[in-house]
Amino acid sequence: MASKRVGVFGAGGRMGVAVCAAVASAPDLDLVAAIDPAWAGVELSERGVVDTGLVVSPTAAELVKVKAEVVVDFTVAEAARDNLVWCAENEIHAVVGTTGFSAADLEDIRVRFEASKANALIAPNFAIGAVLMMRFAELAAPYFETAEIIELHHDQKVDAPSGTAILTAERMAAASSDFAADPTEQVVIAGARGASGPGGIPIHSVRMRGMVAHEEVILGSTGQTLTVRHDSYDRTSFMPGVLLAIRSVFDRPGLTVGLDALLDI
Ligand code: NAP
């Protein structure tokens, strides 16, 4: 079977570089374009991705020129929204790891891809351990009356809370509507109780130099707590999930949200 022709948006960014390297070393995938206005004209080898001979292009037009079939996006939500509109219109499949989309954004993207021959897969977390953490938290939710989420990321992350934390709370809230009310009567410093996420589950965001992506879900009931924690220590933790999504998106019409849709869990 012919190799799938893959492009990458945000190719000069931290995740983009890791995706370019992972695609370039996959025998069934062919990295054909690297797009990033901030790194335009720079050879990918200068970003540490060897043996591709590719130079970063400034615009999506390059994807049409090189006949890309699927493009991966790890940018910022504002850019990813435009990139997705472009992919739907130009009928190129999209695999998106960018976070920060609102529910209205996802609905708009769903409508656009249902009307397109191209498909989209958006996952706020491509690490298998994080997908399992969300599943375990969802399974545990009905057995505990209180739950809070602490997400911890590197100090360059621009959106808060993380997409994974929001999705975790959404899934826990869908599994249980029985969480106890917050007892706090006096908030001495604003924000002390975190953000009120889906289902009223508090979400606390930590931004810390030295970290990559981490999340802890704490569930409590009388006399006991259960903590489910996942740590991504390195961006390579996301790559098996990204490669699986690239290979799978061709066969999933419309919009798919979450990597677990591709896993039997
Ligand atoms: P980053 O290093 O800032 O990389 C983003 C790159 O995208 C930057 O080079 C940026 O350029 C570029 N960009 C901006 N607009 C663009 C456009 N229109 N077309 C192409 N490229 C564009 O950030 P990162 O750490 O790689 O993270 C990127 C995203 O991935 C974030 O939303 C993060 O939350 C998410 N993420 C997801 C997962 C997951 O598993 N789903 C894992 C880790 C991170 P500028 O510098 O000019 O903005």
Side-chain angles (χ1 to χ4, degrees):
M1 206 162 62
S3 297
K4 293 183 172 25
R5 300 175 67 76
V6 185
V8 175
F9 281 124
R14 287 167 292 237
M15 285 298 290
V17 166
V19 172
C20 287
V23 170
S25 56
D28 60 329
L29 304 176
D30 201 1
L31 183 67
V32 293
I35 317 293
D36 196 324
W39 295 92
V42 172
E43 285 188 21
L44 267 190
S45 57
E46 287 179 52
R47 299 289 294 138
V49 186
V50 293
D51 295 337
T52 68
L54 283 178
V55 172
V56 179
S57 303
T59 64
E62 178 71 10
L63 294 165
V64 174
K65 212 154 75 185
V66 298
K67 298 189 171 54
E69 298 167 275
V70 52
V71 60
V72 182
D73 184 303
F74 278 91
T75 58
V76 288
E78 202 179 27
R81 270 184 227 112
D82 293 345
N83 291 340
L84 279 160
V85 170
W86 187 93
C87 286
E89 284 171 358
N90 287 274
E91 298 181 348
I92 295 178
H93 301 305
V95 168
V96 181
T98 305
T99 55
F101 295 117
S102 66
D105 288 334
L106 290 177
E107 193 43 39
D108 180 61
I109 294 163
R110 184 182 303 282
V111 169
R112 287 177 190 276
F113 277 89
E114 274 171 7
S116 169
K117 279 189 194 147
N119 311 330
L121 187 147
I122 301 179
N125 204 314
F126 280 103
I128 177 74
V131 174
L132 288 168
M133 171 193 65
M134 284 189 266
R135 179 79 182 115
F136 297 153
E138 176 182 59
L139 285 173
Y143 302 99
F144 293 84
E145 301 87 51
T146 49
E148 306 213 5
I149 297 172
I150 306 168
E151 59 95 340
L152 313 92
H153 280 80
H154 59 87
D155 65 340
Q156 304 291 307
K157 185 169 174 59
V158 295
D159 56 317
S162 72
T164 306
I166 297 170
L167 187 56
T168 308
E170 266 170 21
R171 291 179 53 171
M172 292 169 71
S176 172
S177 53
D178 256 354
F179 291 113
D182 188 334
T184 313
E185 288 178 9
Q186 191 190 358
V187 176
V188 181
I189 299 178
R193 294 291 295 122
S196 179
I201 297 170
I203 304 179
H204 311 267
S205 297
V206 176
R207 294 295 173 263
M208 188 73 54
R209 200 157 294 184
M211 288 187 168
V212 177
H214 317 260
E215 183 175 309
E216 194 164 295
V217 183
I218 311 171
L219 300 111
S221 186
T222 313
Q224 59 179 320
T225 63
L226 170 69
T227 301
V228 188
R229 180 174 170 119
H230 175 257
D231 298 275
S232 275
Y233 298 108
D234 189 281
R235 292 185 171 80
T236 51
S237 64
F238 304 113
M239 294 309 126
V242 172
L243 296 182
L244 173 66
I246 293 171
R247 293 174 181 126
S248 308
V249 70
F250 288 76
D251 302 321
R252 302 193 64 93
L255 171 67
T256 302
V257 178
L259 186 68
D260 44 325
L262 308 182
L263 304 168
D264 193 18
I265 58 171

